[in-house]
């Protein structure tokens, strides 16, 4: 039973474009929503995270939008670069910090 | 930023033997660490929660006698795959909670590739 649903499975974007990845959750007890970037053969690296008391958080070219009532959150990658080509995972956890991961989105940025 | 180190990054072992993977938090103390397993092109699956000074808690379906976890200090957790078989071949990743950071940030190690032959 996947607690966090992520879409799309993959996307292709042109250099300079915007990549958008969406996630939805059911468990209203979740209170921590991080996004991770993973390159092949490497561990996930924390990109950005948000808590439910904030509707948007921006760090550089990465922005999380959070809609508590809809139980959805999304990652926007602005001005996408070839180096952004990777797999992105959304996740969620409660106070126990056990992360439930989405299925992942493979992003390919074409030069 | 915070760093979590895993060792070894790659290991090959013979079927029936045991292999130990270490997870260290390098610049913060971690009372809680987590062990995940990831198959190729798949998401991460939580195996167990490692608690410093107490027994690990395992997720449903994970054999605790096969995947032994020890969290002997605030900076080190180990995962031992006992009597390994080819089906145990996978990418094992640990994470650690930095409770000193605002918001209890969770950082991941670089992962360890286990191949059982």
């Amino acid at each position: 039973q996947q607690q966090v649903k992520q879409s799309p499975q993959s996307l292709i974007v042109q250099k300079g474009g915007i990549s958008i990845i969406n996630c939805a959750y059911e468990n209203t007890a979740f209170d921590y929503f991080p996004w991770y970037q993973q390159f092949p053969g490497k561990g996930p690296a924390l990109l950005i995270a948000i808590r439910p008391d904030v509707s948007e958080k921006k760090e550089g070219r990465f922005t999380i939008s959070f809609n508590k009532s809809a139980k959805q959150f999304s990652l926007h990658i602005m001005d996408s670069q070839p180096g952004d080509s990777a797999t992105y995972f959304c996740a969620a956890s409660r106070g126990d910090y056990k992360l439930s991961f989405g299925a992942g989105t493979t992003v390919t940025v074409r030069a | 930023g915070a760093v979590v180190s895993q060792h070894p990054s790659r290991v090959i072992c013979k079927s029936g033997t045991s292999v130990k993977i270490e997870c260290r938090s390098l610049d913060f103390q971690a009372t809680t660490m987590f062990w995940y397993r990831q198959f190729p092109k798949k998401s991460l699956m939580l195996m167990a929660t490692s608690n410093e000074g107490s027994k690990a808690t395992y997720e449903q379906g994970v054999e605790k006698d096969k995947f032994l976890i020890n969290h002997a200090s605030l900076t080190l957790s180990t995962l031992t795959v006992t009597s390994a078989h080819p089906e145990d071949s996978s990418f094992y990743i640990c994470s650690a909670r930095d409770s000193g950071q605002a918001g209890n940030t969770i950082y991941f190690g670089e992962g360890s590739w286990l191949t059982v032959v």
Side-chain angles (χ1 to χ4, degrees):
Chain A
Q1 181 186 357
Q2 193 162 33
Q3 298 193 59
V4 180
K5 295 184 178 180
Q6 184 172 346
S7 64
Q9 184 176 8
S10 62
L11 68 90
I12 299 173
V13 62
Q14 293 296 317
K15 179 180 176 182
I18 302 173
S19 303
I20 302 174
I21 306 170
N22 300 299
C23 286
Y25 64 97
E26 288 298 323
N27 190 342
T28 55
F30 286 148
D31 62 359
Y32 176 64
F33 302 89
W35 284 89
Y36 290 89
Q37 179 189 59
Q38 187 179 33
F39 294 103
K42 300 294 184 181
L46 178 65
L47 266 181
I48 186 172
I50 199 168
R51 293 198 177 268
D53 53 345
V54 177
S55 62
E56 186 175 282
K57 184 175 181 179
K58 182 177 180 179
E59 289 186 1
R61 296 185 293 109
F62 301 95
T63 300
I64 297 179
S65 296
F66 187 82
N67 186 329
K68 187 175 181 178
S69 61
K71 292 185 287 187
Q72 295 176 347
F73 58 111
S74 61
L75 176 69
H76 291 60
I77 306 174
M78 314 299 285
D79 187 26
S80 296
Q81 300 296 313
D84 296 333
S85 297
T87 299
Y88 294 81
F89 291 96
C90 62
S93 73
R94 305 170 300 177
D96 58 5
Y97 304 103
K98 295 196 296 186
L99 290 170
S100 294
F101 280 85
T105 298
T106 301
V107 173
T108 303
V109 182
R110 297 217 189 277
Chain B
V3 177
V4 174
S5 174
Q6 272 186 251
H7 178 80
S9 58
R10 287 183 179 272
V11 59
I12 300 173
C13 72
K14 291 184 177 181
S15 185
T17 63
S18 297
V19 61
K20 180 185 289 186
I21 301 170
E22 293 185 346
C23 177
R24 293 181 185 273
S25 56
L26 296 185
D27 55 2
F28 64 95
Q29 293 184 333
T31 56
T32 306
M33 292 184 173
F34 304 91
W35 287 95
Y36 293 82
R37 184 173 182 176
Q38 186 179 33
F39 291 105
K41 299 188 184 300
K42 297 294 184 181
S43 190
L44 287 79
M45 290 176 47
L46 179 65
M47 297 174 65
T49 302
S50 173
N51 304 296
E52 188 271 334
S54 64
K55 291 183 178 180
T57 54
Y58 292 81
E59 296 301 299
Q60 190 173 9
V62 178
E63 298 176 60
K64 62 180 181 181
D65 293 331
K66 181 167 188 60
F67 299 100
L68 300 179
I69 292 172
N70 183 274
H71 195 152
S73 77
L74 287 171
T75 61
L76 174 64
S77 175
T78 60
L79 168 70
T80 301
V81 183
T82 63
S83 186
H85 291 283
E87 58 264 31
D88 299 324
S89 299
S90 187
F91 192 44
Y92 292 88
I93 313 172
C94 72
S95 68
R97 177 169 72 97
D98 182 359
S99 57
Q101 289 281 330
N104 289 285
T105 304
I106 300 169
Y107 297 96
F108 280 80
E110 282 293 292
S112 299
W113 284 101
L114 170 62
T115 302
V116 184
V117 298

